Amino acid sequence: FRFATTHREKVSLAIKWIQENAPSIKIDKPGNYKDLNIADRINLYKLYDSNPKKVLWADKCAVYKELYDLGLEDIRIPLLYERYKPSDSDIREALELCRVNDCILKCNHASGYNIRFNATEGINYDFLAKKIRGWLDTNYAYIAGYEWQYETITPAILVQPSLFPRDVKPTDYQFYCENGNIVAVEIQRKASKVIIEHVAFTDIEGKDLDWCLGSWPLQKGLNNEQKEAVAAMRPVVEEIAKLFQFVRVDLFWVNKRIYFCETTFCPCSGVLDYQTR
């Protein structure tokens, strides 16, 4: 991917990557969605939807302005530190901040490039600085079959306060949206990027769907607290969703307050298991 000379070449390589890593996915011509399930369509959006706003919303720093422009500044998680093209001294400065705060350090140009810190724990500066520098020097667009929206993002680091107590796994409300409509709500608890509890998968009203992406959820429908959260989040999600053909809007619900996590345009880079009952 890195040395392909044209966008068409990169898309051709991306199709081969999907076929190798997700053979159940149907790759059809763009715009031909007949008989395709949502997992197939997500991969078509990955390949052919070139909406330039996806770059700004994929950038975990630039998205702060996008939220402000939509009048959604109140749902932003505060920034404790932000630095584009950080030097080695900038990285150590950010790590020193993490040493005395319960917080999360992230890179802006990727998925899963983050570290959660507890203020009472020590920090191995040399190890972490090397790890973060490796992240910053990686173009994430080429990690999993060409996610083009990451390709031109200028790498940065940011530090945000932890929203959850250190012994609590974050609960993530994920809204799958297509053409401005919320088609599914997934609730997850995450111990890490790959260790996930699939709590619920429903429609916007909290009713179980006859299909899901990934594992079948642990519970039936939504409980009252989850319904309250989803109802409060719905206007926020719809405001963002109308900008894109497909987007997954990820939010947190903390003490009955909404916080923005991220927007995802290619969940699992399109390697999705579509299941029906």
Side-chain angles (χ1 to χ4, degrees), residues 80 96-104 117-120 159 161-162:
L80 302 177
E96 179 60 26
L97 184 65
C98 296
R99 186 181 66 82
V100 295
N101 292 279
D102 289 350
C103 58
I104 298 175
F117 291 91
N118 297 323
T120 57
V159 178
S162 293

Side-chain angles (χ1 to χ4, degrees), residues 236-273:
V236 170
V237 174
E238 290 176 339
E239 190 68 23
I240 297 170
K242 67 186 182 183
L243 302 173
F244 303 104
Q245 284 187 286
F246 171 81
V247 64
R248 195 188 73 199
V249 181
D250 297 357
L251 302 173
F252 295 129
W253 179 250
V254 183
N255 297 325
K256 298 188 182 299
R257 180 174 174 181
I258 302 168
Y259 289 95
F260 176 82
C261 176
E262 63 181 353
T263 47
T264 302
F265 299 104
C266 303
C268 301
S269 198
V271 181
L272 297 162
D273 293 323

Side-chain angles (χ1 to χ4, degrees), residues 3-229:
F3 300 105
T5 56
T6 67
H7 180 75
R8 178 176 291 182
E9 268 189 287
K10 292 178 182 180
V11 170
S12 178
L13 289 169
I15 291 172
K16 291 180 181 179
W17 186 91
I18 292 167
Q19 290 171 336
E20 290 174 3
N21 290 275
S24 65
I25 297 294
K26 295 178 182 178
I27 302 297
D28 209 333
K29 294 180 181 179
N32 184 6
Y33 296 129
K34 184 180 179 181
D35 299 327
L36 298 181
N37 62 49
I38 190 170
D40 299 332
R41 297 195 299 271
I42 286 171
N43 278 277
L44 286 182
Y45 297 133
K46 174 184 178 180
L47 293 170
Y48 301 114
D49 177 12
S50 57
N51 182 346
K53 270 197 168 292
K54 290 168 71 171
V55 178
L56 298 172
W57 283 82
D59 183 332
K60 291 176 175 59
C61 293
V63 74
Y64 270 60
K65 182 180 183 302
E66 298 303 304
L67 290 167
Y68 180 86
D69 289 347
L70 283 182
L72 299 175
E73 62 268 27
D74 289 345
I75 69 171
R76 298 180 298 186
I77 301 173
L79 275 178
L80 302 177
Y81 189 90
E82 178 189 48
R83 193 77 80 241
Y84 277 92
K85 296 182 178 179
S87 65
D88 290 344
S89 62
D90 292 331
I91 294 173
R92 294 186 77 89
E93 183 180 6
L95 288 172
E96 179 60 26
L97 184 65
C98 296
R99 186 181 66 82
V100 295
N101 292 279
D102 289 350
C103 58
I104 298 175
L105 184 149
K106 301 178 180 179
C107 290
N108 69 319
H109 68 302
S111 173
Y113 284 5
N114 55 72
I115 309 169
R116 188 175 181 181
F117 291 91
N118 297 323
T120 57
E121 298 176 352
I123 287 181
N124 185 329
Y125 285 92
D126 291 338
F127 171 80
L128 291 173
K130 183 177 180 180
K131 186 179 187 70
I132 294 165
R133 176 54 64 194
W135 287 345
L136 291 165
D137 290 343
T138 298
N139 192 321
Y140 192 81
Y142 309 121
I143 292 296
Y146 192 44
E147 296 186 67
W148 69 266
Q149 68 270 17
Y150 293 114
E151 190 169 27
T152 59
I153 295 176
T154 301
I157 54 174
L158 62 151
V159 178
Q160 297 172 318
S162 293
L163 298 178
F164 300 88
R166 61 188 63 179
D167 58 342
V168 173
K169 289 179 285 187
T171 299
D172 198 350
Y173 286 75
Q174 302 180 344
F175 295 79
Y176 290 81
C177 306
E178 197 170 11
N179 298 314
N181 299 310
I182 300 170
V183 297
V185 179
E186 182 171 16
I187 301 177
Q188 296 182 346
R189 279 193 293 268
K190 293 184 177 181
S192 72
K193 183 175 174 63
V194 295
I195 302 175
I196 299 169
E197 287 181 293
H198 297 272
V199 178
F201 199 96
T202 73
D203 65 14
I204 190 60
E205 305 299 334
K207 298 177 182 177
D208 287 329
L209 293 165
D210 60 2
W211 60 274
C212 79
L213 294 174
S215 302
W216 287 108
L218 298 172
Q219 70 179 45
K220 298 279 188 182
L222 301 180
N223 62 36
N224 289 336
E225 182 181 355
Q226 292 162 350
K227 287 180 180 178
E228 179 187 2

